[in-house]
Amino acid sequence: MEYVIQAEKLSKTFGEFKAVDEISFQVSKGEIFGFLGANGAGKTTAMRMLCGLSIPSSGKATVAGFDVYKQTELIKKNIGYMSQKFSLYEDLTVKENMQFYGGIYGKSNQFIKEKTAAIIEQLSLQNEAGKLVGSLPLGWKQKLAFSVAIFHEPAIVFLDEPTGGVDPVTRREFWGMIYQAADRGITVFVTTHYMDEAEYCNRVSIMVDGRIEALDSPHGLKKTFGTDSMDSVFLKLARGAARSAD
Amino acid sequence: MFILLGMPIVEIIIFGFALTNEVKNSKIAVFDQSADQASVAITQELNASRYFDVVKDIHSYSDIDAAFRKGTMKLAVVFPKNFHEDLLHLNKAQVQLIADASDPNVATTLTNYATAIILDYQDRITQGREVPYTIKTEQRMLYNPQLKGAYSFVPGVMAMVLMLICTMMTAVTIVKEKETGTMEIMLVSPLQPFKIIVAKAVPYLLLSLINIASILLLSTFVLGVPIQGNLLLLIGEGVLFIITCLTLGLLISTSTDSQQTAMFISLTGMFLPTVMLSGFMFPIENMPRFLQIISNIVPARWFYSIVKDVMIKGLGFTAVWKETLILVGMTLALLALSIKKFKIRLA
Amino acid sequence: MGSVVVNNIVKTYGTKKAQVTALNGISFEVAPGELFGIIGPDGAGKTSLFRILTTLMLADKGEASVDGYDVVKDLKAIRKRVGYMPGRFSLYQDLTVAENLEFFATIFNTSIEENYDLIKDIYSQIEPFKNRRAGKLSGGMKQKLALSCALIHYPSVLFLDEPTTGVDAVSRKEFWEMLRRLKEKGITILVSTPYMDEASLCDRVALMQEGKLMSVNTPSGIVEQFGKPLLAVRSGNMLQLLRDLKQCREVEDAYPFGEYHHAVMKKDFSQQELEACLKNHPGVTIKAIQPDIEDCFMDLMKN
């Protein structure tokens, strides 16, 4: 099995506070990996380390084959990132946004041109390609943001609550896009507050107080905890949390 | 965008053409006690130069004093009795130059030009004579005998600091409430919106009073600029100006939604005009007509003039009532406008 | 007489050229003491509606009243009796927890003691941190403080704009439990949320999308309106299953839903034909289920 993310006893401490406490896990190529946890459980810190934005305090990890201590620049080149807040440039057009991001990742004009055309086709944005992103409805923006996050064909894409506030139909279309990306071999690492979305993941980890308390397929988790929904698995685990902070 | 690109152009034009320290057609008083051949000739030369316009209806030292108080003239040339006779018989005579030195730069420039013209005349009549005529100029710097720069910049700084603190801070703090959303909750409370504003403004009023006090203390004890006039009057005028600035800040806050914009408007819209058009850096009399007209709506111009009159020249309320009235009028107008514009709702 | 009455409210933003209709003829009524949910995604118009009802904004058309007072004319009366918690955390970040509460008590002409029993439940949970600055609180605690502040004057109607957005499942559950207890004290509560699963916690809900109310009913009433058979289907290859389901003649709509796919069926479908259509999926599980609010929302959206 080819692992795209490998973390071993990865930790981050801020003074006395162990934000992330010895987490170990692997994510394989093309997997959709759900990363759950209550606010303050340490998800964001862990994700930042994996994206090369924050140097771990101890432990080992590689992302797309690169070391999170020394090769952060290479990591950044090989991942995509999208969050609910991080959006596209609202005062650039759909096309310009794609050209801009393609340029950032050093893609050739030829590549950018073809890829842009493909995305516009896929999202049926032919009539909107020249419009400012700011004028699009939220759901479209989110789908477009995802397309831009994987524009440079990264090995992994990190999605931080990508579907917050999006209507249920668009949310499903969004997940359809995630499946397609995973099908192409892009590994998807996603956090969400929607428990039904956890079900769409191949495997789910649940963080409590800086540690990974459970890691299994949704089906396996439900079986282990003897319930029939991810919601109650999550509540069972998170209720035991000692800390709550952002 | 327009502002970013336009600002430098406007500034260059204003600085380059409009704002100059050069003296042009400045009104000067000639108090001619001898009215003889020589004094009339010199007066004509003064009048003929492009620097000066001579005003002739000055018949006593008190006329000069009055003109200075009114601020219409900044230089007086006084010919003593028997000017020409002295020159002919003693080969030397004296001219007195009295300057309003509350603005030391202007005073120095004016006296220098006048002296040069007089010396020119002296050289001309001396030509071909063995014993030269000497016209001695005696200079008197009124209000600021040592020509200290502080005399002019203390009032200027006062106007600037108050403008900056009151206008910008009021605007920014109110807009900040809009930005963080606390204004939203405040509005949905029985609290009267105007009370919110007053509550926001009062701390800055107090803060500014402390500023006035510290500026005055520093200028008196460290810079050696004495307060010639009535201290209470000075402070009273200060409070008036603070209120003007606060209402100005309020007006800005009612028309903007982000702290950045509020800051920008306060800086470019208020601060720069205060510096450039209040008469503090560049004499208003020397500005082109249109800038002089614009300077009339800059509150700091009036305040600067009040402070100079009261603090440096030691004049009383009778000398500044006009400026005071203008400031009061401005404040009321601004207040009315911002009350009208203040929204009891969000949008 | 409803506690909140909304009649044909229209609100548009922007210039004539690029006009956005935030609210497009909204009407509903909320009974006194009701816990009423407004459910819809971002951009549905929830915040605009709340701002109009809390007198912060004027509608272009239509009228509304809160507690019998008109939202335009009786501005002051309404501002005295509603509690409002905007979507963003809107307290003074650099005041402490206790100072914030004190401050809000003062501006509403009351004292913390006067209505302490109302907020005791909620405030006691953050009281240990009362000397901490509000800006340093965690998300869940900020929310509790904001709710305490909104309740300090014992409002008769409480408006909560997306109080649970971005909050984790545990805190969300706690928050709804608090709302239940407030409701028992007779306070009318209007709460907006993008989370469909929260609908079942309300007495009645309005489903909102693109400035329109698609349905106003009790949660069970909305489910009853669905009126079509719904199946949950599962197999070894879920991605292929979804594609195949969409091909089946009797399937009106199919979409992923948790670990199953939901298939909305035509009224008189036959189970055999469906099984035949999915013959490529050995071990497929098919069971008839009750729709939940999300199913209904999607159904209404598509119509």
Side-chain angles (χ1 to χ4, degrees):
Chain A
M1 196 58 144
E2 188 188 339
Y3 291 127
V4 186
I5 302 178
Q6 295 194 65
E8 207 187 318
K9 296 198 172 169
L10 195 65
S11 301
K12 179 84 186 182
T13 53
F14 298 103
E16 289 289 290
F17 181 70
K18 285 186 177 174
V20 175
D21 190 6
E22 299 201 342
I23 56 170
S24 304
F25 62 95
Q26 286 91 29
V27 182
S28 31
K29 185 172 157 62
E31 187 173 355
I32 301 174
F33 189 81
F35 200 61
L36 310 188
N39 296 342
K43 277 179 307 182
T44 311
T45 313
M47 205 138 130
R48 283 201 182 139
M49 287 193 281
L50 295 175
C51 292
L53 297 173
S54 159
I55 300 290
S57 306
S58 64
K60 277 193 282 188
T62 59
V63 174
F66 301 109
D67 185 76
V68 292
Y69 289 92
K70 293 176 209 136
Q71 295 170 301
T72 53
E73 291 312 309
L74 285 168
I75 290 179
K76 286 180 199 165
K77 251 191 138 152
N78 284 283
I79 60 169
Y81 179 80
M82 174 203 164
S83 85
Q84 191 188 349
K85 286 161 220 146
F86 164 77
S87 257
L88 304 161
Y89 287 93
E90 304 242 315
D91 39 14
L92 291 184
T93 65
V94 172
K95 260 192 173 159
E96 285 164 348
N97 262 292
M98 286 190 265
Q99 283 160 357
F100 177 72
Y101 281 97
I104 285 185
Y105 286 100
K107 294 293 177 191
S108 69
N109 286 343
Q110 181 66 21
F111 178 90
I112 293 174
K113 214 171 158 189
E114 282 168 14
K115 190 82 187 185
T116 304
I119 291 174
I120 287 174
E121 167 88 39
Q122 187 198 1
L123 297 178
S124 330
L125 285 173
Q126 287 88 345
N127 293 328
E128 281 77 19
K131 280 192 190 162
L132 295 187
V133 165
S135 67
L136 298 181
L138 177 82
W140 292 21
K141 276 189 214 165
Q142 294 296 88
K143 283 192 276 184
L144 185 63
F146 178 70
S147 303
V148 168
I150 57 169
F151 191 86
H152 57 297
E153 293 290 328
I156 308 160
V157 61
F158 289 89
L159 307 175
D160 193 4
E161 284 181 44
T163 55
V166 176
D167 70 73
V169 173
T170 312
R171 217 143 63 76
R172 285 176 173 78
E173 289 167 359
F174 193 89
W175 273 92
M177 291 174 65
I178 291 182
Y179 272 108
Q180 282 173 17
D183 225 29
R184 287 213 306 272
I186 296 178
T187 305
V188 180
F189 189 96
V190 57
T191 72
T192 176
H193 280 317
Y194 292 100
M195 283 309 134
D196 60 322
E197 289 190 345
E199 305 263 11
Y200 305 152
C201 301
N202 299 118
R203 281 189 309 147
V204 172
S205 76
I206 299 179
M207 268 186 99
V208 180
D209 291 347
R211 282 186 298 276
I212 290 185
E213 287 293 329
L215 200 174
D216 203 345
S217 65
H219 189 69
L221 283 175
K222 281 183 280 190
K223 223 156 109 187
T224 316
F225 288 88
T227 65
D228 59 353
S229 79
M230 278 304 293
D231 206 28
S232 38
V233 172
F234 183 78
L235 287 177
K236 270 189 180 177
L237 276 169
R239 274 262 155 93
R243 73 190 199 210
S244 104
D246 270 333
Chain B
M1 210 51 159
F2 171 74
I3 295 171
L4 282 180
L5 294 176
M7 268 311 271
I9 297 173
V10 171
E11 270 173 27
I12 281 290
I13 290 176
I14 291 185
F15 272 111
F17 292 100
L19 298 175
T20 90
N21 275 315
E22 220 174 284
V23 175
K24 237 187 263 170
N25 298 330
S26 188
K27 281 186 190 155
I28 59 167
V30 172
F31 175 28
D32 192 350
Q33 296 176 69
S34 50
D36 51 27
Q37 193 189 328
S39 70
V40 169
I42 293 178
T43 307
Q44 272 169 359
E45 301 236 331
L46 285 171
N47 204 13
S49 87
R50 64 190 174 99
Y51 307 121
F52 301 121
D53 275 345
V54 173
V55 177
K56 282 178 187 147
D57 57 339
I58 303 286
H59 305 293
S60 65
Y61 277 103
S62 59
D63 283 351
I64 297 177
D65 202 40
F68 278 11
R69 276 168 190 263
K70 265 201 273 172
T72 48
M73 277 166 242
K74 295 210 163 137
L75 181 75
V77 182
V78 181
F79 295 100
K81 278 182 184 145
N82 307 324
F83 178 69
H84 193 224
E85 265 171 53
D86 286 352
L87 202 59
L88 287 179
H89 301 124
L90 303 173
N91 287 336
K92 59 179 180 187
Q94 230 182 25
V95 179
Q96 197 182 23
L97 299 176
I98 308 172
D100 171 356
S102 56
D103 187 336
N105 286 334
V106 173
T108 324
T109 321
L110 288 176
T111 45
N112 285 346
Y113 284 151
T115 312
I117 291 171
I118 293 168
L119 284 179
D120 223 35
Y121 176 76
Q122 171 201 300
D123 291 349
R124 208 146 14 95
I125 55 169
T126 302
Q127 253 169 14
R129 279 182 54 104
E130 273 165 43
V131 190
Y133 290 125
T134 320
I135 302 176
K136 208 180 146 213
T137 52
E138 186 209 87
Q139 300 177 358
R140 257 187 70 199
M141 294 297 172
L142 221 55
Y143 311 122
N144 182 4
Q146 287 156 289
L147 285 177
K148 278 191 184 170
Y151 279 68
S152 99
F153 81 67
V154 166
V157 165
M158 208 145 118
M160 224 164 67
V161 165
L162 295 182
M163 183 55 112
L164 199 63
I165 294 186
C166 301
T167 310
M168 190 153 85
M169 294 315 280
T170 318
V172 166
T173 45
I174 294 176
V175 172
K176 186 182 167 196
E177 298 246 348
K178 282 197 205 172
E179 251 182 17
T180 55
T182 38
M183 191 54 110
E184 210 171 326
I185 296 200
M186 287 296 171
L187 285 177
V188 189
S189 78
L191 205 61
Q192 279 167 356
F194 210 70
K195 278 192 194 156
I196 306 173
I197 303 301
V198 172
K200 291 251 113 186
V202 166
Y204 292 106
L205 180 66
L206 297 177
L207 213 79
S208 310
L209 279 176
I210 297 175
N211 274 317
I212 293 191
S214 57
I215 291 176
L216 290 181
L217 285 173
L218 272 176
S219 65
T220 315
F221 294 111
V222 180
L223 299 173
V225 182
I227 299 165
Q228 305 283 10
N230 187 329
L231 182 66
L232 273 180
L233 176 62
L234 188 59
I235 291 176
E237 298 283 357
V239 172
L240 173 62
F241 183 62
I242 292 172
I243 295 173
T244 317
C245 294
L246 290 175
T247 43
L248 205 53
L250 175 57
L251 187 64
I252 294 174
S253 77
T254 55
S255 19
T256 44
D257 282 322
S258 83
Q259 290 185 59
Q260 245 187 345
T261 331
M263 187 99 91
F264 192 75
I265 294 183
S266 313
L267 270 179
T268 55
M270 304 297 141
F271 188 62
L272 289 179
T274 302
V275 172
M276 299 201 281
L277 298 179
S278 65
F280 154 47
M281 298 268 259
F282 310 98
I284 294 171
E285 305 86 66
N286 299 341
M287 291 176 191
R289 193 100 205 111
F290 79 96
L291 277 184
Q292 288 195 23
I293 294 169
I294 293 175
S295 78
N296 283 328
I297 58 163
V298 177
R301 175 203 166 151
W302 306 108
F303 181 63
Y304 176 68
S305 142
I306 292 174
V307 175
K308 238 168 73 172
D309 285 353
V310 176
M311 190 171 163
I312 310 296
K313 298 190 187 173
L315 305 179
F317 184 68
T318 43
V320 295
W321 67 271
K322 227 170 74 189
E323 284 91 340
T324 310
L325 205 66
I326 291 173
L327 274 187
V328 170
M330 278 184 176
T331 312
L332 290 180
L334 286 171
L335 200 63
L337 197 61
S338 45
I339 289 177
K340 213 181 138 211
K341 283 200 77 180
F342 185 80
K343 294 175 197 114
I344 51 168
R345 297 191 164 86
L346 275 181
Chain C
M1 183 69 192
S3 183
V4 176
V5 181
V6 178
N7 190 8
N8 200 26
I9 289 280
V10 176
K11 175 79 192 173
T12 54
Y13 293 105
T15 53
K16 267 191 183 151
K17 261 188 193 163
Q19 206 172 46
V20 181
T21 306
L23 297 172
N24 192 359
I26 299 264
S27 305
F28 65 90
E29 233 174 86
V30 180
E34 206 173 11
L35 176 50
F36 190 85
I38 292 171
I39 296 180
D42 289 1
K46 303 185 298 277
T47 301
S48 300
L49 177 61
F50 274 35
R51 287 189 169 163
I52 288 171
L53 292 178
T54 50
T55 74
L56 280 171
M57 226 158 62
L58 292 176
D60 298 341
K61 251 193 241 164
E63 55 273 338
S65 71
V66 173
D67 235 9
Y69 293 96
D70 186 88
V71 291
V72 180
K73 281 180 261 156
D74 308 320
L75 180 104
K76 281 189 184 151
I78 291 183
R79 289 183 181 189
K80 267 188 201 132
R81 62 190 63 229
V82 301
Y84 174 45
M85 193 171 139
R88 295 180 295 170
F89 178 67
S90 310
L91 298 170
Y92 288 94
Q93 312 264 358
D94 35 15
L95 293 185
T96 65
V97 170
E99 283 165 350
N100 261 299
L101 199 62
E102 195 85 45
F103 177 75
F104 281 97
T106 315
I107 64 170
F108 280 100
N109 275 325
T110 176
S111 63
I112 297 179
E113 293 73 35
E114 208 169 316
N115 294 318
Y116 190 72
D117 62 307
L118 182 68
I119 58 163
K120 195 175 80 192
D121 238 24
I122 305 157
Y123 188 60
S124 60
Q125 299 175 48
I126 46 171
E127 209 158 10
F129 310 100
K130 69 177 182 187
N131 293 322
R132 195 183 284 189
R133 288 183 180 210
K136 301 248 180 232
L137 293 175
S138 74
M141 287 199 285
K142 274 182 187 168
Q143 197 192 36
K144 283 170 194 158
L145 175 59
L147 184 59
S148 303
C149 291
L151 285 168
I152 192 76
H153 57 299
Y154 217 122
S156 55
V157 185
L158 185 60
F159 291 93
L160 307 170
D161 193 8
E162 298 208 17
T164 54
T165 295
V167 174
D168 65 67
V170 180
S171 305
R172 269 165 60 192
K173 226 177 168 86
E174 280 175 11
F175 195 81
W176 277 96
E177 282 158 15
M178 289 189 279
L179 293 191
R180 276 273 142 206
R181 287 195 292 272
L182 287 176
K183 177 191 141 65
E184 278 158 26
K185 299 201 164 130
I187 297 177
T188 309
I189 303 172
L190 267 81
V191 55
S192 73
T193 175
Y195 297 102
M196 305 285 152
D197 56 342
E198 290 179 350
S200 57
L201 304 167
C202 302
D203 296 332
R204 279 195 313 143
V205 293
L207 302 187
M208 197 167 180
Q209 168 80 358
E210 288 174 352
K212 283 193 193 125
L213 292 188
M214 300 188 296
S215 181
V216 181
N217 210 324
T218 58
S220 56
I222 285 186
V223 169
E224 276 163 31
Q225 281 176 350
F226 191 73
K228 274 170 274 188
L230 187 72
L231 300 179
V233 191
R234 183 176 172 76
S235 84
N237 186 347
M238 293 297 277
L239 194 55
Q240 190 55 43
L241 178 65
L242 187 61
R243 285 187 201 130
D244 292 347
L245 272 173
K246 286 186 174 165
Q247 298 304 317
C248 294
R249 202 170 43 81
E250 292 174 306
V251 175
E252 259 187 21
D253 192 13
Y255 43 85
F257 206 107
E259 61 179 316
Y260 290 92
H261 292 323
H262 281 187
V264 182
M265 307 305 292
K266 293 196 171 126
K267 273 216 170 82
D268 44 357
F269 79 103
S270 90
Q271 179 104 13
Q272 284 90 348
E273 263 191 57
L274 182 70
E275 275 165 15
C277 176
L278 298 176
K279 59 183 182 301
N280 295 333
H281 292 269
V284 62
T285 336
I286 300 174
K287 56 181 183 183
I289 50 160
Q290 278 296 313
D292 75 3
I293 297 289
E294 195 158 344
D295 291 300
C296 301
F297 195 95
M298 283 189 277
D299 187 54
L300 289 165
M301 257 180 86
K302 280 167 184 166
N303 296 334

